[in-house]
Amino acid sequence: MVDDDAPVLTVSKAAELAGMHPQTLRQYDRLGLVVPRRTRGRGRRYSRRDVARLLQVQQLAQGEGINLAGIKRILDLEAHVSVLEERLGDLLMRVQEEGRVFAAGPAAGDVVVVQRGQRVRSTAMRVDLEHRTVGGGAVVLWRPAPRREG
């Protein structure tokens, strides 16, 4: 069984699986839509995940009528959302496991643990948080709502 991320497909095989011309794959590579890995001799090698992305690009272009620049923007935003969802999942897991409260700087997104029972309005806390955020500015606090029985 081959890993979906293993770069084992040549341009011609990936093009065949995606139902495209090999030159289309080369154009998508130049535009940064689907970037395969390279062999030592600079040959392109595609993975099954790359082929799935080629099919997604084809659907957006032909089925939805979106131009290639728009498709690149959509794919970049989807990748960014995935990273943010993973980060959010990690933070939620930490909160559930440790029962801690966090403060975060809005610009840099640095996460700082706030000790339970410590009030944000205290001068010491405000100073501590300002030193941990980039460029000062506002601090966003999030406290999980107490669980209600019933």
Side-chain angles (χ1 to χ4, degrees):
M1 186 171 265
V2 179
D3 179 19
D4 285 344
D5 290 318
V8 295
L9 303 169
T10 62
V11 174
S12 58
K13 187 61 178 173
E16 178 186 328
L17 290 171
M20 299 177 179
H21 193 278
Q23 194 59 38
T24 304
L25 275 64
R26 293 180 184 98
Q27 180 185 8
Y28 288 175
D29 182 14
R30 282 190 297 275
L31 296 172
L33 289 171
V34 180
V35 180
R37 284 178 233 141
R38 301 286 184 150
T39 64
R40 288 185 185 186
R42 302 290 298 146
R44 293 172 174 90
R45 290 293 182 267
Y46 291 84
S47 68
R48 293 207 176 269
R49 193 172 314 276
D50 292 333
V51 172
R53 188 170 168 117
L54 287 166
L55 292 170
Q56 182 182 15
V57 170
Q58 185 178 45
Q59 172 58 34
L60 288 170
Q62 294 175 359
E64 305 294 329
I66 300 171
N67 67 26
L68 295 179
I71 292 171
K72 176 139 177 55
R73 183 73 175 138
I74 289 168
L75 295 176
D76 289 347
L77 288 171
E78 285 178 347
H80 185 69
V81 167
S82 293
V83 168
L84 293 175
E85 285 174 341
E86 184 177 323
R87 188 168 180 196
L88 176 62
D90 291 345
L91 290 173
L92 288 173
M93 190 181 322
R94 283 180 62 187
V95 166
Q96 290 172 352
E97 290 173 357
E98 302 172 12
R100 293 186 182 185
V101 178
F102 298 91
D110 296 332
V111 177
V112 180
V113 176
V114 178
Q115 299 301 318
R116 281 192 173 273
Q118 199 168 17
R119 303 189 119 222
V120 179
R121 293 184 180 163
S122 72
T123 307
M125 183 64 170
R126 233 181 290 127
V127 169
D128 184 43
L129 291 175
E130 286 174 9
H131 286 293
R132 294 177 188 229
T133 60
V134 175
V139 173
V140 178
L141 289 177
W142 173 70
R143 295 179 193 261
R147 293 184 182 159
R148 296 182 187 212
E149 302 288 324

